[in-house]
């Protein structure tokens, strides 16, 4: 048994190693950060099609997807 630091609850070792960490940004995203994430996602999706998508964006970057509808550029 292992005693957790934050909640003082005892966990079995297999409960700890089966967890999956999720990235959480330290600061609120600004325009530069969102631009970098977008550029990186485009480049990665060119190499590995479909790697970044609406389902895993939050888990991979810590940034929520917009609820606004996509508008065509023009």
């Amino acid at each position: 048994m292992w005693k957790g630091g934050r909640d003082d609850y005892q966990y079995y070792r297999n409960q700890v190693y089966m967890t999956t960490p999720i990235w959480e940004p330290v600061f609120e995203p600004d325009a530069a950060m969102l631009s970098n994430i977008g550029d990186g996602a485009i480049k990665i999706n060119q190499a590995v099609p479909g790697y970044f998508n609406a389902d895993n964006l939050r888990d991979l970057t810590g940034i929520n997807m917009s609820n606004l509808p996509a508008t065509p550029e023009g």
Side-chain angles (χ1 to χ4, degrees):
M1 295 287 273
W2 176 73
K3 188 172 184 179
R6 289 188 180 184
D7 57 9
D8 292 327
Y9 184 79
Q10 292 187 351
Y11 296 93
Y12 289 102
R13 287 184 185 267
N14 66 344
Q15 289 176 297
V16 176
Y17 80 78
M18 292 183 338
T19 59
T20 303
I22 294 177
W23 170 260
E24 290 290 332
V26 177
F27 303 104
E28 286 292 319
D30 61 358
M33 181 180 178
L34 294 175
S35 178
N36 285 335
I37 289 172
D39 291 345
I42 289 169
K43 290 176 182 178
I44 290 171
N45 276 346
Q46 288 173 344
V48 183
Y51 186 79
F52 274 95
N53 59 44
D55 297 328
N56 66 6
L57 182 67
R58 172 86 169 101
D59 292 341
L60 295 173
T61 65
I63 306 298
N64 287 326
M65 185 180 80
S66 173
N67 292 329
L68 300 174
T71 57
E73 292 182 25

